């Protein structure tokens, strides 16, 4: 009987290590970034809402079975305020490549710049993932051997854990077959020994595969780091460009963060592909210039600023003159010039203050506005950029803004932006992207503008509106229309500013239609210069 039995305690001691492994196998994570429930919800939500992300995952899955985990890690790195990576020792071997990629991303120089625009913003983080798609795809293709090696190591590790579990099962059966003295039948004891041998062999194989995978990974690390640097830089640039595009069109970060994902994606695509997409930088510069001119307004100067003159009115002294008082040696010179009435002062025309009625931009959209000036800037792009800056000007002052696009007498479109409510960016884009084509007629757009100001005066008793006519052409107006125009202009007390874009001298010459209609007329020849009309934003 002794030859056919063995004691259970001896078998248990022999298989103790494998029994412990089967009881508590090491946890193997499939994602490298530690994520809480809210982070995981953010990823699932943005993935469900983004067709581009799902399409990217489907493309990756044809070559890489674990692509969704990698994309989730890249998203979380960009989205989390302070991303924290797991130690590589707790990762499933098949995900070690992911861990190395994410580690390289977080350590790349461009990553900090990227996260300034993406942290806490699920849309921007998703955009960062898409921007890195090409680099990640190339990296996975070049890391084929690493993926194969880590895949083998993963399977070997799973087989080793299964073998350890088999030892535990064999011991359980041995315990069931043991008699009261702890004696186990020989066949059952042999099964335990076979299970232990298989576990040892599987563990040896797992170690060999782990070593081979580690060698392949070490060889791939320089390439992974280089690809990660390129990916982070590309993503940072893409996110920066979109943020700049939004700012150029007057969409602030708070507004975009409140937008539903689909609406924001549609808006971004429209901004990138619209008629004036290539002129976003010009639009942004125009708006910045207008904001700067608003800050430079002279609060106590009366009337319309038309230049600089000499005198002794200290309320209108230009800043450079006042700066002289800061130099003790020059104060006597200032006093002498003051006594002689030779200080440089802002010159103004009339006593009328800044208007309170609507700001109306009448923008010519005839065929000739397609023409390009210096730097390839079209007349349309310049005029629309100026009109959008006027929209900002009106909103800053709490005034209504009306955009009137015109060409021939039968082509006119009106866009209203009340001053007491936010301007929807989609409405702004509709105004900026509309182009009518055709000839040029002044009577209908100016008559429409005057009627709008008349309605405003009748409804809200607001007078002193401002009309800005932006055109590249000249046309005739009838004597009857001119008489009616002058009558309503005197009654409503509004001003008409004219901007002639790259127009031959005859259009703005003395006695021309534009010269006779406008209170203030200027010609713009250089369409790359946004400062040509800077003074306009100090008097409107």
């Amino acid at each position: 009987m002794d030859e056919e039995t063995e004691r259970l305690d001896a078998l248990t001691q022999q298989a103790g290590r494998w029994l412990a492994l089967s009881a508590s196998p090491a946890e193997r994570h499939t994602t490298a970034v530690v994520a809480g429930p809210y982070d995981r919800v953010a990823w699932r939500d943005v993935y469900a809402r983004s067709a581009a992300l799902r399409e990217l995952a489907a493309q990756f899955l044809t070559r890489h079975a674990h692509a969704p985990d990698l994309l989730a890690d890249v998203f979380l790195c960009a989205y989390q305020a302070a991303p924290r990576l797991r130690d590589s020792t707790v990762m499933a071997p098949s995900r070690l490549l992911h861990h190395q990629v994410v580690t390289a991303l977080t350590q790349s120089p461009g990553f900090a710049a990227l996260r300034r625009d993406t942290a806490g913003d699920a849309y921007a983080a998703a955009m960062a993932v898409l921007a890195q798609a090409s680099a990640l795809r190339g990296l996975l293709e070049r890391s084929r051997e690493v993926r194969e090696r880590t895949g083998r190591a993963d399977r070997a590790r799973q087989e080793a854990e299964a073998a350890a579990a088999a030892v535990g099962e064999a011991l359980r059966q041995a315990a069931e077959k043991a008699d009261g003295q702890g004696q186990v039948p020989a066949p059952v004891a042999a099964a335990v020994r076979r299970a232990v041998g298989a576990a040892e062999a599987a563990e040896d194989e797992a170690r060999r595969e782990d070593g081979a995978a580690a060698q392949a990974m070490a060889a791939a690390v320089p390439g992974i780091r280089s690809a990660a640097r390129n990916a982070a830089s590309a993503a940072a640039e893409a996110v920066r460009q979109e943020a700049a595009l939004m700012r150029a069109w007057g969409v602030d970060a708070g507004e975009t963060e409140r937008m539903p994902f689909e609406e924001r994606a549609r808006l971004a695509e429209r901004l990138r592909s619209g008629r004036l997409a290539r002129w976003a930088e010009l639009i942004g510069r125009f708006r910045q210039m207008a904001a700067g001119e608003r800050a430079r307004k002279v609060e106590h100067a009366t009337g319309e600023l038309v230049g600089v003159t000499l005198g002794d009115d200290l309320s209108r002294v230009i800043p450079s003159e006042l700066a002289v008082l800061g130099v003790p040696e020059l104060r006597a010179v200032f006093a002498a010039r003051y006594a002689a009435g030779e200080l440089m002062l802002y010159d103004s025309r009339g006593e009328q203050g800044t208007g309170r009625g609507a700001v109306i931009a009448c923008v010519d959209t005839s065929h000739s506005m397609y023409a390009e000036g210096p730097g390839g800037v079209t007349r349309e792009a310049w005029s629309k950029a100026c009109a959008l800056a006027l929209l900002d000007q009106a909103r800053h002052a709490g005034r209504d803004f009306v955009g009137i696009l015109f060409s021939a007498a039968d082509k006119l479109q009106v866009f209203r932006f009340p001053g007491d409510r936010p301007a929807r960016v989609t409405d702004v884009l509709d105004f900026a992207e509309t182009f009518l084509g055709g000839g040029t007629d002044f009577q209908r757009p100016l008559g429409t503008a005057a009627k709008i100001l008349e309605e405003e005066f009748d409804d809200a008793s607001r007078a002193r509106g401002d009309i800005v006519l932006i055109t590249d052409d000249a046309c005739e107006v009838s004597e009857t229309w001119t008489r009616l125009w002058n009558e309503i202009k005197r009654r409503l007390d509004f001003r008409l500013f004219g901007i002639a874009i790259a127009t031959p001298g005859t259009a703005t010459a003395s006695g021309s239609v534009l010269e006779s209609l406008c209170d203030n007329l200027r010609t713009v020849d250089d369409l790359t210069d946004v400062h040509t009309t800077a003074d306009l934003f100090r008097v409107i």
Side-chain angles (χ1 to χ4, degrees), residues 396-466:
H396 181 79
R399 302 167 67 181
D400 292 349
F401 176 82
V402 181
I404 299 178
L405 304 180
F406 70 93
S407 57
D410 61 340
K411 292 184 177 182
L412 181 140
Q413 197 160 345
V414 178
F415 297 84
R416 294 176 181 262
F417 300 90
D420 59 354
R421 70 193 70 161
R424 294 177 54 198
V425 66
T426 51
D427 294 338
V428 175
L429 285 171
D430 289 340
F431 166 62
E433 293 178 350
T434 300
F435 192 88
L436 302 177
T440 303
D441 173 77
F442 290 164
Q443 292 186 180
R444 189 178 177 199
L446 290 178
T448 301
K451 184 177 181 180
I452 290 171
L453 291 177
E454 184 176 33
E455 292 171 351
E456 182 183 40
F457 179 78
D458 293 339
D459 294 342
S461 299
R462 285 199 299 268
R464 292 173 29 222
D466 291 309

Side-chain angles (χ1 to χ4, degrees), residues 234-250:
E237 179 63 16
V239 173
R240 186 198 64 79
Q241 286 182 357
E242 179 161 310
L245 188 63
M246 292 287 185
R247 286 193 299 271
W249 283 94

Side-chain angles (χ1 to χ4, degrees), residues 450-451 453-455 457-458 462-464 484-494:
K451 184 177 181 180
L453 291 177
E454 184 176 33
E455 292 171 351
F457 179 78
D458 293 339
R462 285 199 299 268
R464 292 173 29 222
L484 293 173
W485 168 262
N486 289 332
E487 288 177 0
I488 194 171
K489 188 171 183 294
R490 281 193 298 271
R491 183 163 63 87
L492 300 179
D493 196 23
F494 61 77

Side-chain angles (χ1 to χ4, degrees), residues 29-258:
H29 293 280
T30 58
T31 55
V33 182
V34 178
Y38 291 109
D39 294 332
R40 288 191 289 269
V41 167
W43 164 246
R44 288 196 295 268
D45 183 65
V46 78
Y47 185 83
R49 292 173 180 272
S50 173
L53 276 179
R54 295 194 300 275
E55 182 179 350
L56 177 62
Q59 292 173 359
F60 277 26
L61 278 171
T62 60
R63 298 179 176 85
H64 186 36
H66 311 305
D69 290 335
L70 175 58
L71 296 182
D73 277 338
V74 174
F75 169 85
L76 291 171
C77 276
Y79 177 72
Q80 289 183 338
R84 183 165 58 90
L85 304 187
R86 293 186 171 91
D87 191 273
S88 61
T89 58
V90 300
M91 295 294 297
S94 60
R95 307 311 202 274
L96 287 174
L97 176 61
H98 296 183
H99 188 279
Q100 185 59 53
V101 170
V102 174
T103 300
L105 277 175
T106 57
Q107 293 175 351
S108 62
F111 183 72
L114 170 65
R115 291 190 60 261
R116 280 196 292 269
D117 291 315
T118 61
D121 187 339
Y123 174 87
M127 182 183 171
V129 175
L130 296 172
Q132 295 176 86
S134 178
L136 292 174
R137 187 181 293 109
L139 188 154
L140 292 175
E141 287 297 322
R142 292 190 297 273
S143 304
R144 187 185 303 272
E145 182 181 356
V146 176
R147 289 190 286 117
E148 291 176 353
R149 287 292 186 182
T150 54
R152 292 176 190 171
D154 204 358
R155 290 190 293 274
R157 181 56 55 192
Q158 291 174 8
E159 290 172 1
E161 291 173 355
V167 173
E169 176 61 21
L171 282 174
R172 185 188 64 79
Q173 293 182 9
E176 290 178 352
K177 299 292 184 180
D179 59 17
Q181 286 75 40
Q183 301 295 324
V184 178
V188 177
V192 172
R193 287 193 295 273
R194 285 195 299 272
V196 170
E200 290 175 345
E203 179 65 18
D204 290 342
E205 179 64 17
R207 286 174 180 157
R208 282 193 295 272
E209 292 296 347
D210 284 345
Q215 289 181 354
M217 183 67 74
V221 163
I224 293 174
R225 288 175 177 167
S226 175
R229 284 195 299 272
N230 294 336
S233 297
E237 179 63 16
V239 173
R240 186 198 64 79
Q241 286 182 357
E242 179 161 310
L245 188 63
M246 292 287 185
R247 286 193 299 271
W249 283 94
V251 185
D252 59 42
E255 184 178 356
T256 55
E257 289 177 8
R258 292 190 297 271

